[in-house]
Amino acid sequence: MTGRRTLLLMRHAKSDYPDGVADHDRPLAPRGIREAGLAGDWLRAHAPAVDAVLCSTATRARQTLGNTGIDAPARFSERLYGATPGSLIAEINATADDVATLLVIGHEPTMSGLALVLAGDDGTDPAVADRISTKFPTSAIAVLTVPGAWDGLEPGRAALTGLEIPR
């Protein structure tokens, strides 16, 4: 596949903090369950159809994906938990060439950092970059356009075009 691709970077939904539960295993809070559903509604209504999902193995990220109702093949990666933008780019670079729209569900500060590191191509909206640098709340979705193949994605080579905060 050639041409433009869509990269959707989503922070997991609002999580709970139960006593005695390790950070990796924290579930979604009731608000997070609702907001993940709203994020799924937004994705179906406004984004191109999601062809594949790259998701953190953390419980709250997996539950976010489940509650969006997005039914696309998913790859779960431990590397997304505590990832740096560079290691996440490496994971995205491994995406199959036939995927036109990739949804990535991960954590902060990686999701906002990655959106800002990738931004810079023609079409980047400086106001969106400014909003993301100020705050990237739970369930937020950054929308980027990638000009070529996933294996060629590198810093400054995507256009940051939108930020949706489903509430």
Side-chain angles (χ1 to χ4, degrees):
M1 180 185 158
T2 58
R4 297 194 168 271
R5 290 167 168 74
T6 301
L7 178 61
L8 303 165
L9 301 177
M10 181 177 181
R11 182 179 178 189
H12 64 77
K14 180 70 177 164
S15 59
D16 206 351
Y17 294 87
D19 290 338
V21 174
D23 185 73
H24 187 274
D25 300 327
R26 289 191 294 118
L28 291 182
R31 180 179 120 195
I33 293 168
R34 188 183 88 251
E35 289 175 357
L38 293 173
D41 292 345
W42 183 85
L43 287 165
R44 280 184 292 282
H46 300 286
V50 173
D51 297 311
V53 179
L54 177 58
C55 186
S56 166
T57 57
T59 300
R60 60 192 177 274
R62 287 174 170 269
Q63 288 180 343
T64 296
L65 174 57
N67 283 285
T68 64
I70 296 298
D71 185 25
R75 180 165 58 98
F76 296 92
S77 174
E78 183 72 37
R79 289 183 72 189
L80 271 68
Y81 180 76
T84 63
S87 63
L88 190 44
I89 289 172
E91 288 286 316
I92 294 168
N93 288 154
T95 300
D97 197 43
D98 62 348
V99 172
T101 300
L102 176 65
L103 171 63
V104 180
I105 301 175
H107 308 270
E108 269 299 280
T110 308
M111 303 305 340
S112 63
L114 180 60
L116 296 172
V117 162
L118 291 175
D121 203 13
D122 289 345
T124 291
D125 185 335
V128 173
D130 188 54
R131 284 179 62 206
I132 288 174
S133 67
T134 302
K135 185 170 185 180
F136 198 84
T138 53
S139 298
I141 304 164
V143 181
L144 295 101
T145 302
V146 177
W150 295 114
D151 63 3
L153 181 64
E154 57 187 43
R157 294 288 298 136
L160 177 60
T161 61
L163 176 67
E164 178 63 24
I165 303 169
R167 292 284 187 258

